[in-house]
Amino acid sequence: MPIPPDAFFLDRSDGLPLQVQLRRQIIAAVSAGRFRAGEKLPSTRALAGHLGVARVTVAQAFAELVSTDYLASRDRSGHFISDRIERRIETEPSAPAPERFDWDSQLDHRFSRAQRSERNRNWRSYGYPFVYGQADPALVDHAAWRDCAMRTLGRREFAAVTGDLYDADDPELVDHIARLILPRRGIEAGADEILLTMGAQNALWLAVQLLLRPGAAFAIENPSYTGQREILAASGARILPVPVDAQGLPPENVPAGIAAVFTTASHQCPTNSTMPRARRKALLARAQAQGFAVVEDDYEFEMSFAGAPSPALKAIDRAGAVIYIGSFSKSVFPGARLGYLVADPRFIAEARALRGMMLRHPPGHMQRTLAHFLSLGHYDAQANRMRRAYAWRRAVMLESISAHGLRLASPDATGGSSLWLATPPGVDASHLERVLKTRDVLIEPGARFFADPAEGRGFFRLAYSSISAERIPEGIRRIAQAMSEVQD
Amino acid sequence: MPIPPDAFFLDRSDGLPLQVQLRRQIIAAVSAGRFRAGEKLPSTRALAGHLGVARVTVAQAFAELVSTDYLASRDRSGHFISDRIERRIETEPSAPAPERFDWDSQLDHRFSRAQRSERNRNWRSYGYPFVYGQADPALVDHAAWRDCAMRTLGRREFAAVTGDLYDADDPELVDHIARLILPRRGIEAGADEILLTMGAQNALWLAVQLLLRPGAAFAIENPSYTGQREILAASGARILPVPVDAQGLPPENVPAGIAAVFTTASHQCPTNSTMPRARRKALLARAQAQGFAVVEDDYEFEMSFAGAPSPALKAIDRAGAVIYIGSFSKSVFPGARLGYLVADPRFIAEARALRGMMLRHPPGHMQRTLAHFLSLGHYDAQANRMRRAYAWRRAVMLESISAHGLRLASPDATGGSSLWLATPPGVDASHLERVLKTRDVLIEPGARFFADPAEGRGFFRLAYSSISAERIPEGIRRIAQAMSEVQD
C-alpha cells in the first residue's frame, strides 16, 4: 500500500536540518521494515505540503536516497522504496547504542514464568487438528451473528455500542442471561448477582484476585484447566491439587483451611467426568462446614449428550458460597470474549469495582450483539447444532478409537467436546505429539494439565470441536500408527 | 415478552414432587422480579413437553397458583402472571434464611474502597452535559464503523473474528498502528514493542501491575486522572503527588527513589497544559539518572488546535524507559475499548503474558473492525471532523466564559476536549455541581482529580465533547447564574 504523507513527522525544535531528519526517517523505517521494497512514497508536492517545507527540501532528500540506493525513481510515477534495500541495510553502520533502561531488573517476571503451555497458534494449518476450544466455521452461524451485529449498529443502539459504561454492564444482556440461560442451570439470580466478563478466563482472574489474602491456599482439581493453574501460580497463592477420579473431585479429599476450591463439576477439565449430585451436596456441605468458597467453572454445560445437563452447584447453593462462572466461548465463539460471574451481591460489587479498574467493561457492541443473538433464538439453534454435530463426531471418535485399540482414560464420561485418553505404558504423550506434528496431526499432551507435568506423561486430550467427522478416522489411524511405532 | 418453556427447570433427583418444584419456581421468579405482572406463561402442553411431565401436572400447578393469586387464567389465551402479585408477595411468609457465607470477612474491599468518583450514568438526560469522554452521535461516523464491522464479518475474516488468539494481537491492527498512527507521534516501533489493550484504562492497569514491587513508590501529577489514582490506590503502592503548573509536570520536582512517574504530557489531565520540549528532555534525563520508568498516557493527542501535536516523550526516549499508552476511546469511541502499549520488548512480553491471563485478548471483531476503520481513512476523517467541531465549540466556550466573567484556571492550555476552570473564592465546586443538576446542567467538580479532595474544591472541568455549540452559551449562562447565587 502506498506510504501516506502522515507517516512522516518533522520536529522543528530538534537540532537537525529538516532534510536530514526526513532522510533518517526513511532509512529508519526501511530498516525496521515499516516501509517495504516497492512501496510508493508520496509525491514531493504532497509530502512538502504535509510537512510544511519547501518542495525542494523533499526533492533533495529523495535524490540523496536514490543515490544511496534506498529509493528508486520512476520518471512520471514518482519515488519508490528500492528493491535493493536488503543489500543496502547490511552495509549501513549501526549507530552506537545509548545506555538502555534496565528492564530485566525492573520487571517481575512472574507472569511469563507462570505460563505453562505451548499454544499451537498455527493449528489451522494441520489436516487433523484434535484441538480444543476453537470455533468451527461449519458450526458457527456467522450469518446470524452478522445480522445481530448489524441490528446493533443502527442509531437506536448508538449509546449502548459507543458509550463509556464505566463499570456497568449492558442491562439487556444481563437480563437475557438471567431469564434465558441461568434457569437452565437451575440458577435464579438478579442483576446485582451477575457480572459480565471477558470470557471465563477473565472471570477466573477476577475471582482469584478477590479471594486472595496473604497466606491463602486454594484447592484445585488435578488434572485441571491449564489457564486456571497459570493464574493461581502468578498470584503467588499456595496451590493444593486434589486428584480427581471417575466422578470428578472427591469432596472428602478437599483439604481444610483453604480460601476456596476451584471445580469443573459439569465436565471436569480435562477428563470430562460429571460430578454426581450426591458429591455436589457433599462438597457444598463441606464448604459450609469449613468456611471456604467454591468457584464453579461451568464452561461448556451445553455439551451434554446423555440427557439434560445436571443442575449447577450454584443451583443448590443455599449458603451463597458458590462463585459461578459461565462462558459463551464454546457455544458462541471464543473470539467474542464474553462470559459471566454469578455470586453473592457483595462479591459481585467488589468484582465490578475491580473489573472497572482493569478495563471498564466488555465492548458495548459485543454485549448488545450477543443479547440479540440470545433473544432471537440463534444461541439455542447454534447450541443444538453443535450438540448434534459433536454427538456424531464423538460417536465416530469412539468407534475409531475402539477399532484401533486406543485406550480411553475416562470411559464413563458422557459430555464435552473432547476425549481423554491414555498412552500405552512407556509412551510419553509429549513425544507422541512431536511425532504426530510431522504427520499433520495435532493432539494435546497431558503434561500441561497436571500440577506435576510428569504425572501427565501418559495422557492426552483429543478434542473434536475443530475436526470434521469425515477426517476423524484417518486422524485416529495416524495416532494409532504413531503410537505403535513409538512403542517399539 | 412471553415466558419461554426454557425458563423452567425440574430436578428429578431432588426430593420434592415435580408439581411442587414448578410452583416454587414460579413463585421464586415472581418474587425476584424475573416474571412480571401480565407476562404470558407457556401453554400447559408446551411446558409439559419441555419438562417431560404429564400435562395434568402442569395444569394442576397452574390451577393452584391461580387460586393463590400468582397466576390469572384467561380462557382461551392461557395463563398469565397475575396483576395482583404485589399484594401477594407481601403476605407470603419468608422461608427461614439458611446460614449465609460470610462474604464481608472473606472479601478484601480494597477495590471498591479505592473508587473515588461518582460517575453520572444518566448524563444523557441532561440538557447541558459538560461531560468528558463520551461519544457524540453528531461526530462519530457510525455508518463507516458499521461498514467496517460488516466487512469483518464475511467468511474471509472468520478466523480473525471468532478464533481464540490466546495472548496474541490481530497483526493487521498492530501493523496499522505501527505504520499509520505511531509515526505521527514520532514513534518508531516494531510488532514486539506493541500490545493491544482494552483501552488506556487497561494499559494503565497492566503497567502498574508490572512495575509494582514491594515498597514501590509512584509519582503522579496533581491533579491527575481519577482512574489512574484509583488503580494505584487499589495496588497498595505509595503514591507521591507532584503539583503541576502551567506547563504541566515540573521534572525537577519528581522525587528520587520512585519506580515510575505517570504523566500526561500532551494534554495534562485535567488542566490540559502541554509539556514543552525542554521539560520533556529534562524529565527523561532525570528518569535515566535516577533509574525510574516513565508512563506516558497520550490519551487524546489528536485534539491539538494550535498546530500539529508535539512529539511524544516516547519519540525522544533513547533509553527505552518510556511506557507509552495510546487510546482510541476519544478519537473513535469509548465503547470500543481499544488502546495500546508501546514499550521495550521485555516489558511488552511480560505485559502480554499478564493480559493473556487476565482476559486473553480484545475481541477479534473489534480489533479487525478498527483495522479497517484505520486503513480506509475513516479514523483520519473522524479525527479531523472532531478537531474542527471541538475547535469551534471551544471558541464558543471561551467567548461565553469571557462574557460571563468565569475564570479559566488554565488560560494557556490550547488543546483537549475540555476546559479547566476556577470557582470564585469560597464557592465549592461540588456544591455548585449539585445546584446545577437541578437546572439541567452537568459539570465535573475538581475534588476527584486531587490526591486530597479538599484541594479540588475551587476547580471544575467543563468538557465540550458531548454538548453542541448551540447549547453551550445557555449552559455557561446557567453556570454563571448559579455561581453568583451560591456566592451570596
Side-chain angles (χ1 to χ4, degrees):
Chain A
M1 91 188 215
I3 300 164
D6 291 79
F8 297 88
F9 184 97
L10 292 187
D11 186 0
R12 279 168 175 67
S13 57
D14 194 346
L16 291 172
L18 300 179
Q19 200 195 116
V20 175
Q21 288 188 41
L22 179 55
R23 281 201 334 256
R24 284 194 177 184
Q25 281 194 18
I26 293 173
I27 291 170
V30 164
S31 304
R34 283 181 293 110
F35 294 172
R36 294 159 200 164
E39 284 192 321
K40 186 181 188 313
L41 276 88
S43 67
T44 51
R45 184 199 304 271
L47 187 49
H50 167 73
L51 295 173
V53 301
R55 191 175 172 188
V56 63
T57 304
V58 177
Q60 281 175 348
F62 281 11
E64 165 71 19
L65 291 170
V66 167
S67 72
T68 49
D69 264 344
Y70 278 95
L71 300 185
S73 167
R74 293 174 212 169
D75 278 346
R76 297 187 191 286
S77 304
H79 290 81
F80 297 78
I81 302 295
S82 165
D83 294 326
R84 292 203 279 255
I85 48 170
E86 279 90 18
R87 200 162 13 106
R88 191 71 197 81
I89 288 165
E90 286 162 19
T91 61
E92 187 80 17
S94 39
E99 188 187 321
R100 302 290 294 179
F101 189 85
D102 186 7
W103 283 109
D104 288 318
S105 65
Q106 288 297 327
L107 282 177
D108 183 349
H109 293 276
R110 73 185 190 274
F111 301 110
S112 56
R113 271 199 224 108
Q115 281 187 320
R116 283 286 299 276
S117 59
E118 293 296 317
R119 262 91 183 211
N120 288 301
R121 300 173 194 291
N122 60 344
W123 62 272
R124 279 188 192 81
S125 64
Y126 288 79
Y128 305 91
F130 291 96
V131 158
Y132 182 84
Q134 293 287 357
D136 186 336
L139 300 178
V140 172
D141 188 352
H142 54 285
W145 184 265
R146 185 170 60 237
D147 177 62
C148 294
M150 287 299 291
R151 288 167 182 260
T152 308
L153 291 171
R155 288 189 178 276
R156 207 174 55 81
E157 298 186 295
F158 179 88
V161 167
T162 64
D164 184 347
L165 305 180
Y166 305 125
D167 60 6
D169 296 327
D170 180 354
E172 272 200 35
L173 180 54
V174 172
D175 191 57
H176 291 330
I177 289 172
R179 281 152 54 89
L180 293 176
I181 307 285
L182 294 182
R184 302 172 195 206
R185 310 303 290 118
I187 299 170
E188 292 167 13
D192 64 344
E193 297 173 278
I194 299 171
L195 178 75
L196 296 178
T197 64
M198 303 286 302
Q201 184 78 24
N202 189 214
L204 278 166
W205 176 267
L206 290 168
V208 170
Q209 304 319 302
L210 293 178
L211 295 166
L212 201 59
R213 311 303 288 279
F218 295 111
I220 63 170
E221 294 164 344
N222 198 38
S224 69
Y225 166 48
T226 311
Q228 170 195 282
R229 220 173 34 261
E230 287 175 346
I231 290 171
L232 287 169
S235 74
R238 279 187 300 138
I239 304 175
L240 305 174
V242 180
V244 299
D245 59 27
Q247 296 186 329
L249 180 70
E252 62 277 13
N253 295 350
V254 176
I258 56 173
V261 61
F262 288 77
T263 182
T264 46
S266 283
H267 300 120
Q268 202 282 325
C269 175
T271 67
N272 282 313
S273 308
T274 298
M275 187 187 288
R277 187 179 172 84
R279 277 201 173 179
R280 293 170 186 242
K281 296 183 88 164
L283 180 61
L284 293 184
R286 191 170 174 80
Q288 182 146 4
Q290 300 272 346
F292 58 77
V294 178
V295 182
E296 174 180 24
D297 184 356
D298 203 30
Y299 62 102
E300 63 171 359
F301 77 87
E302 299 94 338
M303 300 307 143
S304 293
F305 310 117
S310 42
L313 283 165
K314 187 69 184 162
I316 53 174
D317 169 37
R318 302 195 51 175
V322 176
I323 298 163
Y324 177 91
I325 294 175
S327 171
F328 291 103
S329 292
K330 310 298 181 290
S331 52
V332 180
F333 50 81
R337 309 309 312 129
L338 285 167
Y340 47 96
L341 277 162
V342 183
D344 184 275
R346 287 164 290 181
F347 179 91
I348 292 296
E350 204 58 31
R352 186 176 301 284
L354 172 55
R355 189 202 72 190
M357 268 178 224
M358 274 171 44
L359 57 92
R360 293 275 221 280
H361 56 82
H365 186 196
M366 302 305 296
Q367 294 195 46
R368 189 52 65 92
T369 301
L370 179 61
H372 290 313
F373 199 74
L374 293 178
S375 67
L376 292 172
H378 296 307
Y379 162 85
D380 280 326
Q382 183 158 303
N384 287 337
R385 183 183 323 116
M386 284 179 166
R387 205 166 20 242
R388 284 191 303 267
Y390 288 175
W392 175 236
R393 294 177 189 182
R394 182 187 180 80
V396 174
M397 293 275 286
L398 291 172
E399 191 184 331
S400 296
I401 282 165
S402 171
H404 289 282
L406 300 186
R407 195 155 59 95
L408 290 171
S410 275
D412 300 330
T414 56
S417 54
S418 62
L419 293 170
W420 184 241
L421 283 83
T423 58
V427 174
D428 187 324
S430 299
H431 178 44
L432 183 63
E433 182 204 19
R434 284 190 295 274
V435 170
L436 283 166
K437 273 184 173 177
T438 69
R439 302 185 190 182
D440 214 21
V441 179
L442 262 190
I443 67 170
E444 294 175 322
R448 71 190 62 164
F449 298 104
F450 287 83
D452 173 7
E455 286 184 75
R457 270 200 295 239
F459 298 98
F460 60 106
R461 180 171 69 178
L462 293 185
Y464 38 89
S465 40
S466 285
I467 183 167
S468 67
E470 293 72 34
R471 299 187 76 81
I472 285 171
E474 174 59 17
I476 300 292
R477 191 199 66 77
R478 293 186 187 204
I479 292 170
Q481 170 86 20
M483 206 178 273
S484 66
E485 290 172 18
V486 166
Q487 253 183 304
D488 303 331
Chain B
M1 93 188 214
I3 300 163
D6 292 78
F8 298 87
F9 183 97
L10 292 187
D11 185 0
R12 280 167 175 68
S13 57
D14 194 347
L16 290 173
L18 300 179
Q19 200 195 115
V20 175
Q21 288 188 43
L22 179 55
R23 283 204 329 256
R24 285 194 176 184
Q25 282 194 16
I26 293 173
I27 292 170
V30 164
S31 305
R34 281 181 295 113
F35 294 172
R36 293 155 202 166
E39 285 193 319
K40 186 180 188 315
L41 277 88
S43 68
T44 51
R45 183 199 305 270
L47 187 48
H50 167 74
L51 295 173
V53 302
R55 191 176 174 189
V56 64
T57 304
V58 177
Q60 281 175 348
F62 280 13
E64 164 72 17
L65 291 170
V66 167
S67 73
T68 49
D69 264 344
Y70 277 95
L71 300 186
S73 167
R74 293 173 212 171
D75 278 345
R76 297 188 191 285
S77 305
H79 290 82
F80 297 77
I81 302 295
S82 165
D83 293 326
R84 290 202 279 255
I85 49 170
E86 279 87 19
R87 197 160 20 105
R88 191 73 195 82
I89 290 166
E90 284 161 21
T91 60
E92 186 80 16
S94 39
E99 190 187 320
R100 302 288 294 176
F101 189 83
D102 186 8
W103 283 109
D104 288 319
S105 65
Q106 289 296 326
L107 282 176
D108 183 352
H109 293 276
R110 72 184 190 275
F111 301 110
S112 56
R113 271 199 224 108
Q115 281 187 319
R116 284 287 299 275
S117 58
E118 293 296 317
R119 261 92 182 211
N120 289 302
R121 299 174 195 289
N122 61 344
W123 63 272
R124 278 189 192 79
S125 62
Y126 287 80
Y128 305 91
F130 292 96
V131 158
Y132 182 84
Q134 294 288 357
D136 186 334
L139 300 178
V140 171
D141 188 352
H142 54 286
W145 184 265
R146 185 170 60 238
D147 176 63
C148 293
M150 282 296 287
R151 290 166 180 262
T152 308
L153 291 171
R155 287 188 180 278
R156 207 174 55 81
E157 298 187 295
F158 180 87
V161 167
T162 64
D164 184 346
L165 306 181
Y166 306 125
D167 59 7
D169 296 329
D170 180 355
E172 272 200 34
L173 181 54
V174 172
D175 191 56
H176 291 328
I177 290 172
R179 281 152 53 89
L180 293 176
I181 307 287
L182 294 182
R184 302 171 195 206
R185 309 304 289 118
I187 299 170
E188 290 166 13
D192 64 343
E193 296 172 278
I194 300 171
L195 179 75
L196 296 178
T197 64
M198 303 286 303
Q201 184 79 22
N202 188 216
L204 278 167
W205 176 269
L206 290 168
V208 170
Q209 305 317 304
L210 293 179
L211 294 166
L212 201 58
R213 312 300 288 279
F218 295 110
I220 63 170
E221 295 164 345
N222 199 35
S224 68
Y225 167 48
T226 313
Q228 170 195 283
R229 221 174 33 262
E230 288 174 344
I231 291 171
L232 287 169
S235 76
R238 278 186 302 138
I239 304 173
L240 305 174
V242 180
V244 299
D245 59 27
Q247 296 186 329
L249 180 69
E252 63 277 13
N253 294 350
V254 176
I258 56 172
V261 62
F262 289 76
T263 181
T264 46
S266 283
H267 300 119
Q268 202 282 325
C269 177
T271 66
N272 282 312
S273 308
T274 299
M275 186 188 288
R277 187 182 173 83
R279 277 202 173 180
R280 294 169 185 242
K281 299 183 87 165
L283 181 61
L284 293 184
R286 192 170 173 81
Q288 181 146 6
Q290 300 273 345
F292 58 77
V294 178
V295 181
E296 174 180 23
D297 183 356
D298 204 31
Y299 63 102
E300 62 171 358
F301 76 87
E302 299 94 339
M303 300 307 143
S304 292
F305 310 116
S310 41
L313 284 165
K314 186 70 185 159
I316 52 174
D317 169 37
R318 302 198 50 180
V322 175
I323 297 163
Y324 177 90
I325 293 175
S327 171
F328 291 102
S329 292
K330 308 299 181 289
S331 53
V332 179
F333 50 81
R337 309 309 312 129
L338 285 167
Y340 47 96
L341 278 162
V342 183
D344 185 277
R346 286 164 290 182
F347 178 91
I348 291 297
E350 204 59 30
R352 185 177 301 285
L354 173 55
R355 191 202 73 190
M357 268 178 223
M358 276 173 41
L359 57 92
R360 294 276 223 280
H361 56 83
H365 186 197
M366 303 305 296
Q367 294 194 48
R368 189 53 65 93
T369 302
L370 179 61
H372 290 312
F373 200 74
L374 294 178
S375 68
L376 291 172
H378 297 307
Y379 163 85
D380 280 328
Q382 183 158 301
N384 287 338
R385 183 183 323 116
M386 283 179 166
R387 208 169 15 246
R388 283 191 304 267
Y390 287 176
W392 174 236
R393 294 178 189 182
R394 182 188 178 81
V396 175
M397 293 275 286
L398 291 172
E399 190 184 331
S400 298
I401 281 165
S402 171
H404 290 283
L406 299 185
R407 194 155 59 94
L408 290 172
S410 274
D412 300 329
T414 57
S417 53
S418 62
L419 292 170
W420 184 240
L421 283 84
T423 59
V427 175
D428 186 325
S430 298
H431 178 41
L432 183 64
E433 181 205 19
R434 285 191 293 275
V435 171
L436 284 167
K437 273 184 171 178
T438 68
R439 302 183 190 183
D440 213 23
V441 180
L442 262 190
I443 66 171
E444 293 174 323
R448 70 190 63 163
F449 299 103
F450 287 83
D452 174 7
E455 288 184 72
R457 271 199 293 239
F459 299 97
F460 60 106
R461 179 170 70 179
L462 293 184
Y464 39 88
S465 38
S466 285
I467 182 168
S468 68
E470 294 72 34
R471 298 186 77 80
I472 285 172
E474 175 59 18
I476 300 292
R477 191 198 65 76
R478 293 187 187 202
I479 292 171
Q481 169 86 20
M483 205 179 273
S484 65
E485 289 172 19
V486 166
Q487 253 184 303
D488 303 333

